[in-house]
Amino acid sequence: MNLFTKLLGLPENQAKYRTPLGVALRGVSLRTACCFDAEQTTAAPLPTLESLAAEERDLLAGLQEVVRTLATPIGRNVFHPAELARCEAYLLDALARVTPTARVAQRYRPAKPYDMVEVANFEGVFEGVTKPNEIVVIGAHYDSIELHDRVRESHGNCPAANDNATGVAVTLELARLLAAAVAQGHRPVRTVRFVLFANEEPPFFWTDDMG
């Protein structure tokens, strides 16, 4: 356990392959700089089912279906090729149902020693009407973190429902809503590109093999 890990009270080697702490903290700092509102002094309460509008409740079934399909205790990453392949097939099909242009944008093998299986990145594009060369990207990574052997043996692997099956679910739902708008003649001004990518989690985080 290194000094920074000990000072921050982090568990030793929580993931099977840990991103160096300095790299992770840099990522957290960048996210905080983008998202933190210095004027906000209290956390906003989490929404409840009762607080949702009717049109928001209508989205729940589709969102839950995606999360439940992806978030198994097996793990969807290069260390579990069969489960990764199942999730990839499901995601490509789900994207194709809402975006006619859905395709495998990239398929590649990570660098050794993790080149035992190919991974895929998917995309679906809605071309803009007046500014097609200006591209809005909406995306999420679909792989799961691989827990340490000892943790996995005691508690099972991480299902990664929140990180990041929820992000995938929202990406697919936004694509569905945009497709419905396009079907009614409301095409976007700018090109909108929906992307689902692999290998965000360690050991690929902030490497050339990330997504």
Side-chain angles (χ1 to χ4, degrees):
M1 180 181 293
N2 65 45
L3 177 60
F4 286 110
T5 302
K6 185 178 294 185
L7 288 175
L8 291 174
L10 298 176
E12 183 177 4
N13 198 20
Q14 171 183 300
K16 187 173 183 180
Y17 301 97
R18 175 177 294 283
T19 299
L21 184 60
V23 173
L25 289 177
R26 257 196 303 159
V28 170
S29 298
L30 289 172
R31 179 176 297 179
T32 301
C34 293
C35 301
F36 182 72
D37 182 357
E39 302 299 321
Q40 182 73 30
T41 57
T42 58
L46 293 174
T48 62
L49 183 61
E50 292 73 22
S51 69
L52 297 177
E55 59 268 22
E56 293 173 324
R57 288 195 293 271
D58 289 343
L59 304 179
L60 290 179
L63 296 170
Q64 291 173 346
E65 190 266 337
V66 174
V67 173
R68 286 172 175 157
T69 300
L70 294 180
T72 73
I74 300 173
R76 52 186 187 277
N77 53 44
V78 297
F79 305 106
H80 306 280
E83 183 66 2
L84 178 65
R86 182 192 71 82
C87 290
E88 287 180 343
Y90 168 77
L91 291 175
L92 183 57
D93 178 70
L95 191 61
R97 289 200 302 267
V98 295
T99 58
T101 60
R103 69 185 186 97
V104 178
Q106 184 183 24
R107 188 174 290 279
Y108 66 98
R109 288 183 182 271
K112 292 182 179 181
Y114 312 112
D115 59 341
M116 69 286 284
V117 63
E118 286 187 335
V119 298
N121 299 327
F122 308 110
E123 72 171 8
V125 179
F126 294 87
E127 188 171 354
V129 179
T130 58
K131 299 180 179 179
N133 293 328
E134 295 184 14
I135 301 174
V136 178
V137 178
I138 300 172
H141 76 89
Y142 64 84
D143 59 312
S144 63
I145 193 169
E146 183 71 4
L147 297 181
H148 191 287
D149 293 342
R150 290 174 297 175
V151 177
R152 194 172 64 249
E153 290 167 5
S154 301
H155 305 287
N157 211 351
C158 180
N162 192 47
D163 182 11
N164 193 34
T166 52
V168 173
V170 169
T171 300
L172 290 170
E173 187 61 26
L174 288 173
R176 185 189 70 79
L177 292 172
L178 181 54
V182 169
Q184 296 177 2
H186 305 296
R187 291 178 58 193
V189 172
R190 295 170 177 82
T191 295
V192 182
R193 183 184 180 202
F194 291 92
V195 181
L196 301 173
F197 60 94
N199 285 7
E200 188 271 349
E201 297 290 359
F204 308 108
F205 185 59
W206 281 17
T207 72
D208 291 340
D209 288 322
M210 177 180 171

